[in-house]
Amino acid sequence: MAEGQLSDAPVNLTVAEDEIGWRLDAYLAHKFPAYSRVHLHRVIDAAGVTVDGRRVKAAHRLQPGEKVAIVLPDMPRSGPLPENIPLDIVYEDQHMAVVNKPSGMVVHPAKGHWSGTLTAALQFHFDSLSSVGGPSRPGIVHRLDRDTSGLLAVAKTDHAHFKLCEQWEARTVGKEYLAIVVGVPDRDRDVIQQPIGIHPYQREKMAIRRDHSSSRPAQSFYEVLERFDGFALLRVEPKTGRTHQIRVHMAHAGYAVLCDRLYGGRARITRGELHHTVDDTPLLERQALHASRLTLKHPETGMPLDFQAPLPADLSGLLEEIRTVRPALKTNR
């Protein structure tokens, strides 16, 4: 397979007699030596590997005749080249940093996005970054979608990386998002608890899926901050960290994030749509979602840290226009 290509169809393998008892990760590393075991672990964790049609862990011991299917990821590349891309650095010390990512920026290199990434900017601005995530993801502890803006933690050392990951895995990290949604929730606050898995037909999407091998429990709390005619401003706290979680949960509840192409069916809103005129001037052309607050413990000192990032100009401008032309509705607080 050429570098940078992605296999659309799974590669199917059958466990031979001399492979009985092998760990799944070791088996795949033997079959695909061009991929590191760390890289293959990510594929397993992302439900890109099944054994006899079911999702298993990397430590699964293979049995004779089992059918292993894997969707191969992009071939590993060397680390991203440093690029002098401006960064909004909210916090920095010798162990970690927190940046306020703009919308439109991909976090790490992927198919179709080899330059202009956050990791390329990190390579330029910081002298050292953790290597735990592999060569293409230096310093990356967690992700934000390309068109979601907001706070993202970065590890400068491997020890800090592990300590931060422990907090994410223990679900002790506080994450708050601000979202402008289409529709007006009846409740002032609610919890959405629905499992999320891979969409059955569209590979780039996730979906609410019960009793499916790719599904994992997911929980999101939301609170209505402001109500308008046709829209609402929400504060959302994802209690778990599933791919596209907030976008999937809000769409499922009937209040899709504004301008969410995948889950809301539209990618922009114009001034005419807001004012009920024929003005085609776009007001927003990305999902109205912003990671506004991040609370965690410092990976070395254990001291609590609390970071906040206000709405960026595109979202704050849209919100002000909504406040001007759409009547505010009552929020019971």
Side-chain angles (χ1 to χ4, degrees):
M1 182 182 296
E3 184 177 73
Q5 289 184 330
L6 187 68
S7 172
D8 292 323
V11 177
N12 297 300
L13 306 167
T14 301
V15 177
E17 288 291 331
D18 60 351
E19 295 164 338
I20 296 171
W22 286 29
R23 281 175 53 113
L24 176 61
D25 53 357
Y27 173 80
L28 293 175
H30 175 72
K31 293 292 186 181
F32 305 102
Y35 296 86
S36 70
R37 192 174 297 193
V38 170
H39 207 70
L40 292 168
H41 262 268
R42 294 197 201 102
V43 182
I44 296 169
D45 290 342
V49 179
T50 59
V51 176
D52 284 348
R54 69 185 189 281
R55 183 178 177 181
V56 297
K57 295 185 179 295
H60 171 77
R61 296 288 178 177
L62 297 172
Q63 301 301 314
E66 284 185 325
K67 307 294 184 183
V68 179
I70 176 171
V71 177
L72 289 171
D74 289 336
M75 289 287 282
R77 291 180 165 232
S78 59
L81 295 175
E83 296 180 51
N84 187 6
I85 302 171
L87 278 181
D88 180 5
I89 301 172
V90 177
Y91 173 86
E92 180 187 3
D93 62 26
Q94 67 267 39
H95 306 289
M96 64 169 291
V98 174
V99 299
N100 184 14
K101 185 187 85 68
S103 67
M105 176 181 278
V106 175
V107 171
H108 56 75
K111 187 177 182 181
H113 300 282
W114 300 117
S115 62
T117 64
L118 176 65
T119 51
L122 296 176
Q123 292 277 51
F124 180 88
H125 288 278
F126 299 134
D127 293 332
S128 65
L129 293 166
S130 68
S131 61
V132 174
S136 66
R137 305 185 184 194
I140 300 301
V141 177
H142 63 120
R143 293 178 57 242
L144 293 175
D145 296 334
R146 179 184 65 183
D147 289 331
T148 297
S149 54
L151 297 170
L152 192 144
V154 176
K156 288 190 168 185
T157 69
D158 286 351
H159 186 262
H161 193 122
F162 285 122
K163 287 295 184 181
L164 289 170
C165 283
E166 286 176 1
Q167 295 181 57
W168 255 269
E169 291 169 4
R171 299 180 185 174
T172 58
V173 176
K175 296 167 289 182
E176 292 186 13
Y177 290 72
L178 294 175
I180 303 173
V181 300
V182 180
V184 185
D186 295 329
R187 300 181 179 183
D188 287 346
R189 56 191 62 83
D190 200 2
V191 174
I192 304 171
Q193 191 160 316
Q194 295 289 345
I196 294 176
I198 298 172
H199 194 282
Y201 310 116
Q202 296 174 269
R203 288 187 58 192
E204 73 273 19
K205 293 182 68 173
M206 307 298 286
I208 302 297
R209 303 193 73 179
R210 301 174 184 86
D211 302 320
H212 189 268
S213 59
S214 69
S215 295
R216 302 176 71 184
Q219 184 183 84
S220 303
F221 166 84
Y222 74 83
E223 179 183 19
V224 180
L225 300 180
E226 296 182 69
R227 286 187 173 94
F228 309 97
D229 178 14
F231 305 96
L233 174 66
L234 308 183
R235 178 177 68 86
V236 188
E237 295 182 36
K239 301 302 183 182
T240 49
R242 311 306 178 208
T243 301
H244 298 176
Q245 177 174 319
I246 293 175
R247 299 163 63 191
V248 173
H249 272 175
M250 296 316 304
H252 175 76
Y255 313 108
V257 175
L258 180 63
C259 297
D260 188 338
R261 177 184 61 83
L262 277 181
Y263 302 102
R266 57 183 300 165
R268 73 173 192 160
I269 185 171
T270 66
R271 179 167 281 111
E273 290 172 292
L274 197 60
H275 291 258
H276 301 301
T277 68
V278 294
D279 188 343
D280 199 38
T281 305
L283 293 176
L284 188 70
E285 295 183 285
R286 60 99 166 186
Q287 62 219 24
L289 187 61
H290 175 68
S292 60
R293 189 174 184 182
L294 185 66
T295 59
L296 47 81
K297 291 183 178 180
H298 192 279
E300 296 294 336
T301 67
M303 292 294 293
L305 301 174
D306 188 342
F307 305 103
Q308 298 186 50
L311 280 174
D314 59 348
L315 296 186
S316 61
L318 172 64
L319 188 59
E320 284 304 313
E321 190 137 4
I322 291 174
R323 287 174 177 144
T324 300
V325 301
R326 294 296 180 97
L329 304 177
K330 182 180 179 181
T331 299
N332 299 318
R333 305 182 67 80

